[in-house]
Amino acid sequence: MSTTRSHVIIIGGGVIGTSIAYYLAKRGQSVTLLERSQLGTEASAAAAGMLGAQSEMEDTGALFQWARKSRAMFPELSGELRELTGIDIGLVREGLLNVALSDVQEAELRAREKLQRAAGEKAQWLSAAEATAIEPALSGATCGALYLPDDGQVDAPLLAAAFAQAAGVLGAKVQPFAQVQGLLTAQERVIGVQTAAGPLYSDHVVVAAGTWSGQLLGSIGIELPMYPVKGECFSVRTPKPILKKTLFSPGCYIVPKAGGRLVVGATVVPHSYDRKVSLSGLAELMERARGLMPLLCDAEWEKAWSGLRPQTADGLPYIGKVPTVEGLYTACGHYRNGILLSPITGRVMADLILGGEGTSEQGNSAIAPWLDAFSPDLSPKTNRVSQQDQDTFSATGKELISIETAH
Amino acid sequence: MSTTRSHVIIIGGGVIGTSIAYYLAKRGQSVTLLERSQLGTEASAAAAGMLGAQSEMEDTGALFQWARKSRAMFPELSGELRELTGIDIGLVREGLLNVALSDVQEAELRAREKLQRAAGEKAQWLSAAEATAIEPALSGATCGALYLPDDGQVDAPLLAAAFAQAAGVLGAKVQPFAQVQGLLTAQERVIGVQTAAGPLYSDHVVVAAGTWSGQLLGSIGIELPMYPVKGECFSVRTPKPILKKTLFSPGCYIVPKAGGRLVVGATVVPHSYDRKVSLSGLAELMERARGLMPLLCDAEWEKAWSGLRPQTADGLPYIGKVPTVEGLYTACGHYRNGILLSPITGRVMADLILGGEGTSEQGNSAIAPWLDAFSPDLSPKTNRVSQQDQDTFSATGKELISIETAH
Amino acid sequence: MSTTRSHVIIIGGGVIGTSIAYYLAKRGQSVTLLERSQLGTEASAAAAGMLGAQSEMEDTGALFQWARKSRAMFPELSGELRELTGIDIGLVREGLLNVALSDVQEAELRAREKLQRAAGEKAQWLSAAEATAIEPALSGATCGALYLPDDGQVDAPLLAAAFAQAAGVLGAKVQPFAQVQGLLTAQERVIGVQTAAGPLYSDHVVVAAGTWSGQLLGSIGIELPMYPVKGECFSVRTPKPILKKTLFSPGCYIVPKAGGRLVVGATVVPHSYDRKVSLSGLAELMERARGLMPLLCDAEWEKAWSGLRPQTADGLPYIGKVPTVEGLYTACGHYRNGILLSPITGRVMADLILGGEGTSEQGNSAIAPWLDAFSPDLSPKTNRVSQQDQDTFSATGKELISIETAH
Amino acid sequence: MSTTRSHVIIIGGGVIGTSIAYYLAKRGQSVTLLERSQLGTEASAAAAGMLGAQSEMEDTGALFQWARKSRAMFPELSGELRELTGIDIGLVREGLLNVALSDVQEAELRAREKLQRAAGEKAQWLSAAEATAIEPALSGATCGALYLPDDGQVDAPLLAAAFAQAAGVLGAKVQPFAQVQGLLTAQERVIGVQTAAGPLYSDHVVVAAGTWSGQLLGSIGIELPMYPVKGECFSVRTPKPILKKTLFSPGCYIVPKAGGRLVVGATVVPHSYDRKVSLSGLAELMERARGLMPLLCDAEWEKAWSGLRPQTADGLPYIGKVPTVEGLYTACGHYRNGILLSPITGRVMADLILGGEGTSEQGNSAIAPWLDAFSPDLSPKTNRVSQQDQDTFSATGKELISIETAH
């Protein structure tokens, strides 16, 4: 590991850290990314890759604004990454059906339809007959579905790999198996990081270590409340594709991948620090999935896995300058939206570090006003959501299902 | 592939074929075993390895006699194989609980207790309290269990590997990836086999190709009715062992392997020629297993797989000389008892081929009278089970559960 | 397995069989494809996916004509398959460097340059300096390279999967784990096939079973000399892409895949019926690869594998109507060119079966004159290459390297 | 994660940490073991499992005394672990051939023969003819071999699993995925550890985290110089066993495992923090292995892997009480001898923590005098090896081969 100074050191090789490295490298910055293990093997590898800007958001606050902006970046990004690395990130823009299985869910989705139309997004309520006409594999027991034609999906593990490789092609030093032991500071400024192979110095340090970010920042007294929320998934195969659009319902989603593969997710196990896939989680998820799409019964089992989503106290990510320590930034706590938000997070962080929007490749005027909502400065004086706002926003962190395993 | 003549050619590299090769090689015979793919990768690899001489048998006919004789061979065999190959076949002799989950099942098991005691076997009915005292992980919903202390288990994939390697050490030629295209005959005698690499000649040929034996014999006009019965299984892990004895109930068994691993089986899908693990099969098996042992809920998912059991028309294997073609033998159709019956099948086949019991290492007097029951000669004149006997014996082939998948 | 009659039955689920199924299904035919195991798991799964229409061909005979025609089909095919199945077959059209490591090789490549230019193909000799300027990872020890800008590559395993799924979407019945036991004939006509689950009837049967085609045809007396030629490969990974174009030299090729993955092939072990990767084969291949591209030393080991290429006596595939048995066709023996030739083979076979070029979607006028060169009719009266032509063509089957393993 | 207080907390779930947990649990202590990832997945999983008490040691100092004492513990330990967990740790006591491939090596081994005989160990020089008579697969190019009949081997990954499960059976809390963030101290005493899920308190804390121990201790100012030394390995399979004894030569060892599997190791890459298996390392290791045992050429490739051995500045492990912090212990830095030394390390650590040898199950009189040699107290006043002793001992840390990879 060279000790050559970088302008920016990024800690964390998931989809957020590698996106930041990519956008900084694109703008000619010297960047070193340090990942303690292999690249992209934690939450980024476990994600189903939904780009649910509309399906995951329950209001039109900051998270929604970022989400739709980020979703819009994927088509161009997909081409850039393929050009640089040969990797096709599997962008599919076939839309998503937000399925109602009860009257209550129907009412909620109809309300959401109005909200999203008012915000200028496409959303269309389909009757059961209309929904099953579009996706014949959908259960006949549905009450209907909210069709979101602009939500899509990517191959999440490939996205992290493509960001990392593209950053490397553009000059970033991307180092797997490089564990950061601590942050080096001097006179209220970060000056680098300590690694097993010695210190590395830089002007800026970005902590983008997912659910492990909290403890790294905590080691220098920055308290950002975070906890992991385990999600268990499985996949099956069918001889030929039987689903075009992603199905999304309370407690279960089914994402059609290339070649007849279907990814089914996900349980919600808060405060779980292991990645054990439990039999009970799997059984419950199977039951929900069969309720949503009975044809799954005949599908061929492929495998099961899990990941730890990084959740925060109020359900909003921490993105921005860390207070009191000059040169230190974080971008973490994206919970279930890390894949979706990775492009916008990478680009905004690059802007921030490079000192202002003026140098950005594209204007962020739509985003900047919302940045304060994610400030890692939790002191009362800041603009991070006030209490009543928190009530609103915390809804975004609300668990749709909650499978508690006995311990 | 050398064309050197062998005394015996065996077709099939599963646990039956490799056992026959082992017992022939032990007695100094020149043997060539031909396996079309890798060794031990079909039903032998999928088996849970139960040695259920008592738990799988519902009467005291020929199959039971062979089963208990074969079970008794394992301790010595285990030592021999370890000595020759270094492979520990994982023999465990902790007994088995045949669990009743209803009054009907209890009645059936109590009847079986009497039958087996009368046959001189150990069998003891345990109340629910007694059973859960021995195995605390067993569901409290049980009505009790028949304790069979002498039934046990081995590691099935290792058993096939050990037989094959031991046969090789003793001089047998064991050839994976050697596909037999046909049987060579002359003047109502088998003279060898045709392979992709040319003909191989021998004095004797044994067809031990599991569920594929029927079609090979059929190609020279020998009709032995057979069909595959798919069984789907899965395994989980626990941090420390929570089960000592195998649990066996209608529709589900749980076999404790070394290191906290539990193998759960198995569905019964007749006439399935593929090895697809279906979501519905898996879900149903999980539900049954959790009913038998609720603690499974917390166990960690490992994997799922399946195998094709070779079933016959009357539920009894075909073992012996094939009628009308001199020098031709078969040993197939062991259904769910292939692992258990492999030692006795191997030794009896060696006796048969070498021309009589006189040369056997151990007297087969207990077995010989039962051999006719498995004769591949299905003509009315033979001693294979008469019709009323068939009614009795066919019970052994009765499916305990039957999960039919839609096609 | 349904016994509903199909117009065409195809035996073999590799890239050739699935391509034929795809082109027949596209034209509305009822097709059943039978694969004895999983789809696309033999030679199709092992191939590096080079589309070496120019690099693999040593003359401008029939094989070359088919190859360049087939190569030209990939861009449109790639779009069609992606549309139908979501699978991106990984088509890369970055060209290929045919590298000379000795004066003799240089002379041979310069001769080939002239030949191919005369045939209207692009080919350009590059000095060592020019070649390493284009691909800096190429060994400085090279004497130069013939640059073939129009040769490319695909992801071979995905191609087979995409053909199979696309055929299914278009209505074909694609059945894995369906073993064909024999061909059914009546009055010098094929009427169907025998499977383990019973007979299946059809008007036409196509044998596309790779290296196993010979024995299936042999079972009804059609002798087509064939033998397997094992090829061993390995792959490595680099943190970022270090190679754009495929490197091809006597004894070794290096194919850059997406995301910094490099596939290195391949040994040549004739008459090997197993798929064992030997230590000696691997070691020799590593040495050759490092000679071609020294930077490989630092690359990260991924895995090794092998496949059996179907070779014929004269090095040319057998494609067309089988003589003496009405309704029976074959398409096999593509040796190292199965991936490249799969589109043209599929389309021409569809034309043949549907009775003439008139119904073809595109005219095959460029191909039809060459079809006789591959006729499965080996009788002296046919137009398959005469002896002196065979001398020419057999060069295409000439092994570039030959690593003989001791037996 | 419960916050119930334990008597002892052990950090690290490799073979050292789990052995300490096992010996403490055996003596009735309440123990919590915390592993940041899965159990036994780092160096313990990568080891070939040689018990080279004589082959690895170059003098008769403290390391040798511990090694032979520890080797002697395995037979009894093997039975205990099997009884508790069902896991057979694969103990093989067939001896080891320390092979000379040059006159210099022969001279060195003959000197070692004398040294070890003088120390009371069995060691016998064999001529080339004698050595190849015992192991016909050994290269004829050998100059002879030192036969060490009492050295043996175990299955290293199973040893760690067995220790962990046995500790659990005896009451220890063994927690994978529990990352320790820091050591909690008060008034020069350790009082527990900080984990992501909150603090855990205990009377004693043992740091047994392999090559990561140094940084954890460093975080509270205890400097123990350590660095990782990567070792790359591979394995092959043969159809039947062709080697009985472990072959050990400068630069390469070949360990015969059950069922014809051969493990070949290992490269030596100091200061490597990643676990990448490089093509160059693999190629060089293959070449050495083929020199030692030419028959390997025909063996079937299985896989490659690597591990990071924890090396210390003077080549001796750190075992014992950490100076200046009451209640804190460490056991790390076992380099290539972790498997071999795990039983004695576990038992001695249990003695130390429980306050004296008096309570030990077996007297440690042979070990106690040597304990100071491994003291983690590196201050000049201690009894850790004086400078001239260090010269002697450091030989044990001398690399037998050194393959430096370019960076």
Side-chain angles (χ1 to χ4, degrees), chain A residues 230-389:
Chain A
K230 180 163 68 178
E232 295 153 302
C233 301
F234 69 86
S235 59
V236 296
R237 290 186 179 279
T238 58
K240 59 186 175 188
I242 57 172
L243 190 69
K244 280 264 181 183
K245 301 178 193 317
T246 295
L247 303 182
F248 188 98
S249 76
C252 182
Y253 53 77
I254 305 177
V255 186
K257 298 291 179 184
R261 194 167 169 253
L262 297 165
V263 171
V264 180
T267 61
V268 174
V269 188
H271 301 286
S272 171
Y273 290 85
D274 67 64
R275 293 195 307 190
K276 182 185 85 169
V277 175
S278 70
L279 202 63
S280 53
L282 211 48
E284 185 143 356
L285 191 59
M286 282 181 183
E287 193 181 315
R288 289 171 193 265
R290 292 162 70 187
L292 191 54
M293 183 174 156
L295 270 177
L296 273 188
C297 285
D298 290 335
E300 181 173 6
W301 176 259
E302 192 185 65
K303 61 178 175 178
W305 67 92
S306 74
L308 301 183
R309 311 173 188 100
Q311 179 60 300
T312 65
D314 63 3
L316 294 178
Y318 302 121
I319 302 174
K321 293 195 183 200
V322 171
T324 76
V325 184
E326 193 64 25
L328 185 61
Y329 302 77
T330 194
C332 64
H334 290 72
Y335 189 46
R336 308 183 0 160
N337 299 304
I339 304 302
L340 169 60
L341 296 177
S342 60
I344 193 79
T345 302
R347 208 178 68 194
V348 169
M349 288 299 296
D351 286 349
L352 258 185
I353 291 166
L354 297 181
E357 298 155 32
T359 55
S360 170
E361 47 181 333
Q362 293 171 35
N364 283 313
S365 50
I367 292 309
W370 300 103
L371 183 52
D372 285 356
F374 306 142
S375 169
D377 187 348
L378 302 186
S379 59
K381 69 176 175 9
T382 68
N383 289 330
R384 190 166 176 120
V385 285
S386 60
Q387 193 50 47
Q388 60 267 51
D389 286 341

Side-chain angles (χ1 to χ4, degrees), chain B residues 11-26:
Chain B
I11 304 168
V15 81
I16 297 299
T18 56
S19 172
I20 298 169
Y22 171 68
Y23 283 101
L24 282 169
K26 255 184 100 168

Side-chain angles (χ1 to χ4, degrees), chain B residues 38 82-88 90-92 164-165 168-169 171-172 174 177 238-241 244 257-261 300, chain D residues 38 82-88 90-92 164-165 168-169 171-172 174 177 238-241 244 257-261 300:
Chain B
Q38 306 259 19
R82 181 157 188 164
E83 178 66 26
L84 287 165
T85 70
I87 297 175
D88 176 356
L91 177 61
V92 174
Q165 293 233 344
V169 169
V174 178
F177 294 106
T238 57
K240 58 186 175 190
K244 281 264 181 183
K257 297 292 178 182
R261 194 166 168 254
E300 181 173 7
Chain D
Q38 306 259 19
R82 181 155 190 167
E83 178 66 26
L84 287 165
T85 70
I87 298 175
D88 176 355
L91 177 62
V92 174
Q165 293 233 345
V169 170
V174 178
F177 293 107
T238 57
K240 58 186 175 189
K244 280 265 183 183
K257 297 291 179 184
R261 196 168 167 252
E300 181 173 6

Side-chain angles (χ1 to χ4, degrees), chain B residues 179-368:
Chain B
Q179 186 159 14
V180 170
Q181 298 166 17
L183 301 170
L184 301 175
T185 56
Q187 295 169 314
E188 302 195 339
R189 237 202 106 72
V190 71
I191 59 168
V193 301
Q194 183 65 32
T195 77
L200 285 176
Y201 300 101
S202 65
D203 300 318
H204 304 280
V205 171
V206 183
V207 177
T211 199
W212 295 272
S213 301
Q215 57 194 67
L216 196 57
L217 291 165
S219 71
I220 57 165
I222 311 291
E223 296 301 331
L224 290 182
M226 293 188 68
Y227 60 98
V229 179
K230 180 163 69 177
E232 295 153 303
C233 301
F234 69 86
S235 59
V236 296
R237 289 185 180 280
T238 57
K240 58 186 175 190
I242 57 172
L243 190 70
K244 281 264 181 183
K245 302 180 192 316
T246 295
L247 303 182
F248 188 97
S249 76
C252 182
Y253 52 77
I254 305 177
V255 186
K257 297 292 178 182
R261 194 166 168 254
L262 297 166
V263 171
V264 180
T267 61
V268 174
V269 188
H271 301 287
S272 171
Y273 290 84
D274 67 64
R275 293 196 306 190
K276 182 185 85 167
V277 175
S278 70
L279 202 63
S280 53
L282 211 48
E284 185 143 355
L285 191 59
M286 282 181 185
E287 195 181 316
R288 290 172 193 265
R290 291 163 70 187
L292 191 54
M293 182 174 157
L295 268 177
L296 272 189
C297 284
D298 290 335
E300 181 173 7
W301 175 260
E302 194 184 63
K303 61 178 175 178
W305 68 91
S306 74
L308 301 184
R309 311 174 187 98
Q311 180 59 301
T312 65
D314 63 2
L316 293 179
Y318 302 121
I319 303 174
K321 293 195 183 201
V322 171
T324 75
V325 184
E326 193 65 24
L328 185 60
Y329 302 78
T330 193
C332 63
H334 290 73
Y335 191 44
R336 304 175 14 151
N337 299 304
I339 305 301
L340 169 61
L341 296 178
S342 60
I344 192 79
T345 301
R347 208 178 67 193
V348 169
M349 288 299 296
D351 286 348
L352 258 184
I353 291 166
L354 297 182
E357 297 156 35
T359 55
S360 171
E361 46 181 333
Q362 295 170 34
N364 283 315
S365 50
I367 293 307

Side-chain angles (χ1 to χ4, degrees), chain C residues 76-110:
Chain C
E76 187 181 337
L77 176 65
S78 170
E80 288 172 9
L81 294 176
R82 181 156 189 165
E83 179 65 26
L84 287 165
T85 69
I87 298 176
D88 176 355
I89 62 169
L91 177 62
V92 173
R93 303 169 74 192
E94 294 278 353
L96 182 150
L97 292 181
N98 218 326
V99 181
L101 295 171
S102 71
D103 292 349
V104 173
Q105 290 170 11
E106 176 176 346
E108 202 223 334
L109 289 176
R110 283 182 180 274

Side-chain angles (χ1 to χ4, degrees), chain C residues 230 232 234 266-269 276-288 401-407, chain D residues 234 236-237 283 286-287 289-290 293-301:
Chain C
K230 180 163 68 178
E232 295 154 304
F234 69 86
T267 62
V268 173
V269 189
K276 181 185 87 168
V277 174
S278 70
L279 201 63
S280 53
L282 211 49
E284 185 143 355
L285 191 60
M286 282 181 185
E287 194 181 316
R288 289 172 194 265
I401 55 170
S402 183
I403 299 173
E404 300 283 341
T405 59
H407 289 291
Chain D
F234 68 87
V236 296
R237 289 186 180 278
M286 282 180 184
E287 195 182 314
R290 292 163 69 187
M293 184 173 156
L295 269 178
L296 273 188
C297 285
D298 290 335
E300 181 173 6
W301 175 260

Side-chain angles (χ1 to χ4, degrees), chain A residues 96-327:
Chain A
L96 182 149
L97 291 181
N98 218 325
V99 180
L101 296 171
S102 70
D103 292 349
V104 173
Q105 289 170 13
E106 176 176 345
E108 202 224 335
L109 289 176
R110 284 181 180 274
R112 190 182 287 211
E113 181 189 17
K114 282 180 199 152
L115 192 72
Q116 299 210 333
R117 288 190 166 196
E121 295 292 324
K122 290 183 198 151
Q124 183 189 353
W125 177 256
L126 303 180
S127 68
E130 290 167 331
T132 53
I134 290 178
E135 288 293 358
L138 177 61
S139 169
T142 178
C143 304
L146 182 59
Y147 175 36
L148 304 171
D150 289 343
D151 274 357
Q153 52 142 316
V154 294
D155 187 309
L158 289 182
L159 179 61
F163 270 138
Q165 294 232 344
V169 169
L170 296 174
K173 275 192 265 182
V174 178
Q175 305 188 327
F177 293 107
Q179 186 160 15
V180 170
Q181 298 166 17
L183 301 169
L184 301 175
T185 57
Q187 296 170 314
E188 303 194 339
R189 235 205 107 70
V190 72
I191 59 168
V193 302
Q194 184 65 33
T195 77
L200 285 176
Y201 299 101
S202 66
D203 300 318
H204 304 282
V205 171
V206 183
V207 176
T211 199
W212 296 272
S213 301
Q215 57 195 67
L216 196 57
L217 291 164
S219 71
I220 57 165
I222 312 291
E223 296 300 333
L224 290 182
M226 294 186 69
Y227 61 97
V229 179
K230 180 163 68 178
E232 295 153 302
C233 301
F234 69 86
S235 59
V236 296
R237 290 186 179 279
T238 58
K240 59 186 175 188
I242 57 172
L243 190 69
K244 280 264 181 183
K245 301 178 193 317
T246 295
L247 303 182
F248 188 98
S249 76
C252 182
Y253 53 77
I254 305 177
V255 186
K257 298 291 179 184
R261 194 167 169 253
L262 297 165
V263 171
V264 180
T267 61
V268 174
V269 188
H271 301 286
S272 171
Y273 290 85
D274 67 64
R275 293 195 307 190
K276 182 185 85 169
V277 175
S278 70
L279 202 63
S280 53
L282 211 48
E284 185 143 356
L285 191 59
M286 282 181 183
E287 193 181 315
R288 289 171 193 265
R290 292 162 70 187
L292 191 54
M293 183 174 156
L295 270 177
L296 273 188
C297 285
D298 290 335
E300 181 173 6
W301 176 259
E302 192 185 65
K303 61 178 175 178
W305 67 92
S306 74
L308 301 183
R309 311 173 188 100
Q311 179 60 300
T312 65
D314 63 3
L316 294 178
Y318 302 121
I319 302 174
K321 293 195 183 200
V322 171
T324 76
V325 184
E326 193 64 25

